[in-house]
Amino acid sequence: FVVLVLIGVLGIAAVAGINGIVIGTASGRILSPQEAAELADVDCILVLGCLVNDGGVPSDMLHDRLRQAVERYELGAAPKLLMSGDHGRTDYDEVNAMKQYAIDAGIPSEHIFMDHAGFSTYESMYRAKEIFDAYFFNADEPYSSSETDKLLP
């Protein structure tokens, strides 16, 4: 029993320590909606995909990403949205669910681009930069395309 408690305590300490490192590292790179709106020459807001539930309903995490992207769009942070997500199967489609959310929020369809091959964060970032040639910022993560240069080969 003591060993299990010790393992539990060490696990909690490890998670708390890693979380502290992530927060400390990223805190200077996360933009408020107002700071994002002040960026110059941004082509688009990159919205990373996430789980879509049955019926094309965004999961809570995806809903939050989309809400933040719409808020930044409405503040004028960028003229377009780039929805990047998984659409590798006919029965699963993150990207069109994301686009529909944005349209329902009042964003014109012609202001929404879709990347159907954003199967991971890396692929989405890479494709936004190299395929779409976009200067972007991610709606909910502390990266911009200039910082992505450090992440990509």
Side-chain angles (χ1 to χ4, degrees):
F1 177 75
V2 173
V3 172
L4 291 177
V5 170
L6 183 59
I7 290 172
V9 169
L10 290 175
I12 291 170
V15 169
I18 291 169
N19 189 48
I21 291 169
V22 170
I23 290 171
T25 302
S27 64
R29 296 181 186 167
I30 297 174
L31 303 176
S32 71
Q34 293 73 23
E35 291 169 325
E38 294 172 6
L39 294 174
D41 301 324
V42 175
D43 297 316
C44 64
I45 299 167
L46 174 64
V47 186
L48 298 175
C50 192
L51 177 69
V52 171
N53 297 310
D54 292 338
V57 178
S59 63
D60 290 343
M61 184 177 287
L62 182 55
H63 181 269
D64 187 54
R65 291 176 181 182
L66 291 163
R67 181 187 54 76
Q68 289 185 47
V70 167
E71 178 183 8
R72 284 157 175 75
Y73 173 88
E74 290 173 342
L75 287 171
K80 308 283 185 197
L81 296 177
L82 174 55
M83 307 298 193
S84 183
D86 185 351
H87 189 193
R89 302 182 320 256
T90 57
D91 63 336
Y92 185 75
D93 184 358
E94 292 175 358
V95 197
N96 279 296
M98 294 163 68
K99 181 175 183 177
Q100 190 58 54
Y101 178 97
I103 290 171
D104 291 347
I107 297 177
S109 178
E110 61 270 15
H111 290 192
I112 305 166
F113 293 97
M114 298 191 298
D115 174 14
H116 295 270
F119 301 113
S120 70
T121 300
Y122 177 87
E123 289 167 314
S124 293
M125 297 276 188
Y126 180 86
R127 291 175 57 77
K129 182 175 184 284
E130 299 297 330
I131 306 299
F132 290 89
D133 192 30
Y135 178 70
F136 65 92
F137 70 89
N138 187 346
D140 69 336
E141 298 291 336
Y143 303 114
S144 69
S145 59
S146 59
E147 290 168 328
T148 304
D149 289 337
K150 301 172 193 167
L151 302 174
L152 301 175

